[in-house]
Amino acid sequence: MEQALARAMRRYASSVSVVSCRGAQGECYAVTATAVSSVSFEPPSMLVCLNRKTGLASALEQVEEFAINILASDQVTISNDCAGGREATDRVNPENWQMDEGKTPVLKDAQAVILCRRTENLTYGSHEIFIGDVIGADVREDIKPLIYLNGEYGTFVSFGSDDGTD
C-alpha cells in the first residue's frame, strides 16, 4: 500500500513552500514542504504537515508564529537547500532572508509569504500537523510559482498562453 500511495502522490502537482520560524532561543529554522494547504477563510487559516524528525517540527511546537514562503520558479536552489542540501543552521541567511531581530524569518522574493499564528497542532503517524490563523500575507506581482511533480521541478503554463502570464 505504501508504494502505491507513493506512486500516486508523485502524480500530485503542488507548489513548493519553505516553512520557517524563529525558535524559542532565537535560532532560525526553514524546511521545504509540499504538504501545505488553506483550511478556512473564516477564520483565515493554513495547515502545514511536517515530519516529526525535523528540527522545525520541534521548534514550531514551542513558538507562536511561523511563515509559509511559497517559492517562485527561480528559487529551486532555496528549495533544495531547505530540503536537506544545507545544514539546518545554514539555511536561513541574510542573502536570501529577511531576518529582523525577534521576528519570524521570511524569504525575500518569494512568490508569496503567509504569516501565521499557530493555533493547533496534533501528531498523526510520522508527522506533526500544524494549523495557524493567518495574520499577514504578501505576494509578488509576477505569477511564476515553483511546482513539484514526479520528483522534478517545473512551473505553470496556462492553456491560454505560451508564457503562463495570462
Side-chain angles (χ1 to χ4, degrees):
M1 182 61 75
E2 288 180 24
Q3 288 181 346
L5 177 59
R7 289 186 67 222
M9 292 308 295
R10 286 181 70 91
R11 283 138 179 89
Y12 182 78
S14 59
S15 295
V16 180
S17 298
V18 171
V19 180
S20 60
C21 78
R22 185 173 295 275
Q25 306 303 316
E27 65 281 24
C28 295
Y29 294 91
V31 171
T32 301
T34 53
V36 173
S37 180
S38 65
V39 174
S40 169
F41 282 105
E42 289 189 30
S45 52
M46 299 293 294
L47 176 143
V48 174
C49 298
L50 298 170
N51 190 305
R52 288 193 330 243
K53 293 179 183 177
T54 67
L56 179 65
S58 297
L60 274 180
E61 291 179 309
Q62 301 173 30
V63 298
E64 289 186 21
E65 287 186 8
F66 63 93
I68 299 168
N69 304 274
I70 302 170
L71 301 188
S73 61
D74 59 355
Q75 295 178 312
V76 171
T77 301
I78 291 168
S79 175
N80 287 333
D81 287 350
C82 294
R86 277 191 173 194
E87 291 294 322
T89 55
D90 294 333
R91 294 177 187 171
V92 179
N93 57 59
E95 177 185 349
N96 296 314
W97 293 83
Q98 184 176 327
M99 302 171 51
D100 297 339
E101 186 66 34
K103 294 187 178 182
T104 300
V106 296
L107 189 58
K108 296 176 185 175
D109 298 322
Q111 182 73 67
V113 175
I114 302 169
L115 191 60
C116 297
R117 178 168 291 112
R118 183 179 54 81
T119 55
E120 293 189 39
N121 70 284
L122 62 106
T123 302
Y124 189 85
S126 60
H127 281 63
E128 284 293 319
I129 301 167
F130 296 93
I131 297 174
D133 287 345
V134 176
I135 57 175
D138 192 27
V139 297
R140 198 164 120 172
E141 288 305 313
D142 61 325
I143 302 174
K144 298 253 189 225
L146 182 62
I147 305 292
Y148 192 72
L149 174 66
N150 198 27
E152 297 182 322
Y153 293 109
T155 193
F156 176 79
V157 177
S158 169
F159 287 142
S161 74
D162 293 331
D163 64 3
T165 58
D166 280 355

